[in-house]
Amino acid sequence: MVNPRESIQRAGTLLEMRRPADAERELRGVLAVRPDHFTAHSLLGLALVQQGKAAEAVSSAQEAVRLAPDQSYPHYMAGQVYLRIRRPDLAITSVRASLAHNPEQASAWELLARAHLMMGQYREVVDAARRGLAIDPQVSDLVSLLAVAHEKLGEAEEARAAAANAVQLDPESATAHLAYGRAALIAGDPRTAAEAFREVLRLDPGFDPARELLVTALKHRNPLYRILTHLRRFRGGWQMVFLLPVIPPLIIVFVLIAVLHWAAWVAEAVTVLRLARARATRLLFEGVEARAALAGCALLVAGAAVLAAGVALGQEALGMAGAAVMALVTPVQEATHTGSARGRGILYGWAGLLGIAIVASATIGSPTIALLSVYAGLGTIWVAAGVRRLSPVSES
């Protein structure tokens, strides 16, 4: 004989233990004898969505709401389901319905904050987190969400203070340490950020975002890398091109931007190669990123050698070809750091064409082709921007 109360309790425990399939069996047993049990339907929705059964999960969550529209719990659980299937708009609607019935539920405010965070509505995250903390100021995850929202808004001091509070409330919370690391990173303290991200990985070794952020923090420990990375964010608006006929000297600005980007990519290659070879950090770097860094450094050295040979031999075309080889660092790095597989393919193809042009310029002794290859290589920053716009990451 199925005891619904005991089965519901067991299902809840199984969900906490990340055993959704076992929880599903318990809940279906309850629904076999009590098909109108809205709590069982709500928990079943969560068990199903944790197994990747999105359509069934939504159906179960909606059935729970239909059976008990005046209860806060089914609306709250429906919000959990919607958030997990990345429909934060529906999650917000559901959790607001839950709060309309029970506004003194800190967990509902936390869910609302998470939904707004997924939508990039950071002021709303701050408001929801503060409303939840007014009910229970000891919820570390709410404080962490508040820290993340401040960080996204560029409010470094508020972010760091909130994150430190989150860590103090729950030193074993990976979320709290992640927020603290992000806050330290935007505050310009990559050393502290790296320590925080290492703590996240200790608490949750499979959390890939923390691994990526740790790599970023380690790179930013290099002062030159930090400076050049900030400069790399500026590419100049495409509207500036229309000013060239009116202000020809503006071409100098384009050249300066391209050269600074090239220097930043060189710093990227050198920094990554150093970290990828160090015993303490080599495991953090994927093969592709390490190989691209090695290729970038090799192009730099080879190009410098060819340039020097060209100068020593008095062969202008050879020297210019060496400069073009050095400029290839930009297209190789731009391709490697493009999220879309299609975009990467296009940019690697572009780099290959430039390589052929460089070899041809040295072979036939044409400094003009080599010089154009230099310009094309350095100008890849704008080619890459266009490719990324036409080939978003979702297509990969």
Side-chain angles (χ1 to χ4, degrees):
M1 181 72 179
V2 174
N3 185 320
R5 183 184 295 273
E6 292 179 359
S7 293
I8 291 291
Q9 290 176 344
R10 279 196 298 271
T13 301
L14 289 167
L15 286 172
E16 291 177 0
M17 296 171 64
R18 298 183 180 180
R19 292 169 57 185
D22 294 332
E24 180 186 353
R25 282 192 289 273
E26 288 284 347
L27 295 165
R28 291 201 183 279
V30 174
L31 292 172
V33 296
R34 290 280 304 278
D36 60 344
H37 201 300
F38 71 86
T39 303
H41 278 290
S42 293
L43 285 171
L44 180 58
L46 191 58
L48 289 168
V49 80
Q50 288 183 11
Q51 298 176 72
K53 303 174 182 177
E56 293 179 58
V58 170
S59 178
S60 187
Q62 290 175 341
E63 178 63 11
V65 171
R66 187 191 68 81
L67 290 168
D70 296 329
Q71 297 289 326
S72 65
Y73 184 75
H75 291 287
Y76 169 74
M77 294 299 286
Q80 293 269 24
V81 169
Y82 288 131
L83 194 66
R84 285 177 178 268
I85 65 172
R86 305 194 69 80
R87 286 300 306 272
D89 53 334
L90 298 178
I92 289 171
T93 300
S94 294
V95 75
R96 288 199 180 280
S98 175
L99 288 166
H101 296 292
N102 182 11
E104 299 301 311
Q105 187 180 5
S107 58
W109 288 108
E110 180 185 338
L111 179 59
L112 182 61
R114 290 186 186 280
H116 281 302
L117 183 64
M118 189 177 288
M119 294 192 72
Q121 299 169 337
Y122 305 123
R123 282 297 172 200
E124 288 80 356
V125 176
V126 170
D127 180 65
R130 285 177 175 165
R131 294 286 294 273
L133 289 169
I135 298 167
D136 187 351
Q138 302 301 310
V139 181
S140 174
D141 283 353
L142 268 173
V143 184
S144 297
L145 287 167
L146 181 62
V148 171
H150 282 307
E151 177 245 323
K152 292 291 187 180
L153 291 166
E155 299 166 351
E157 291 303 317
E158 292 89 340
R160 199 160 190 177
N165 187 22
V167 172
Q168 185 176 13
L169 288 171
D170 187 358
E172 295 301 307
S173 169
T175 303
H177 287 285
L178 182 69
Y180 189 71
R182 291 171 65 112
L185 199 57
I186 68 162
D189 187 358
R191 188 174 298 275
T192 299
E195 292 172 0
F197 297 137
R198 284 195 178 99
E199 185 64 13
V200 174
L201 291 171
R202 183 188 70 81
L203 295 166
D204 188 355
F207 193 47
D208 289 338
R211 192 177 305 276
E212 295 169 4
L213 286 166
L214 175 57
V215 168
T216 300
L218 291 171
K219 291 178 182 178
H220 278 77
R221 288 172 63 174
N222 182 333
L224 178 61
Y225 177 89
R226 286 201 301 273
I227 294 170
L228 290 173
T229 298
H230 287 310
L231 292 173
R232 196 171 67 207
R233 294 174 183 172
F234 179 69
R235 294 174 184 258
W238 60 268
Q239 299 90 341
M240 290 173 62
V241 174
F242 297 105
L243 295 177
L244 284 175
V246 182
I247 315 174
L250 195 62
I251 190 67
I252 297 173
V253 176
F254 282 93
V255 172
L256 181 60
I257 291 171
V259 170
L260 287 173
H261 273 257
W262 174 82
W265 282 128
V266 169
E268 173 84 21
V270 172
T271 302
V272 169
L273 186 61
R274 178 177 60 82
L275 292 171
R277 294 299 179 91
R279 180 176 300 177
T281 54
R282 67 177 62 173
L283 295 178
L284 291 171
F285 292 86
E286 298 179 358
V288 174
E289 188 176 10
R291 286 195 296 271
L294 179 60
C297 292
L299 287 169
L300 186 67
V301 173
V306 173
L307 175 60
V311 172
L313 296 172
Q315 296 183 14
E316 184 181 0
L318 185 62
M320 195 60 69
V325 170
M326 295 172 69
L328 281 177
V329 172
T330 294
V332 169
Q333 290 283 14
E334 288 283 0
T336 303
H337 291 82
T338 296
S340 163
R342 177 185 172 191
R344 282 195 303 274
I346 293 172
L347 291 173
Y348 278 129
W350 169 253
L353 289 174
L354 290 178
I356 293 171
I358 293 167
V359 172
S361 70
T363 303
I364 65 177
S366 173
T368 302
I369 295 176
L371 181 60
L372 290 174
S373 298
V374 173
Y375 292 153
L378 294 176
T380 300
I381 60 172
W382 292 289
V383 175
V387 168
R388 291 191 187 106
R389 190 172 292 112
L390 296 173
S391 304
V393 176
S394 59
E395 292 186 13
S396 63

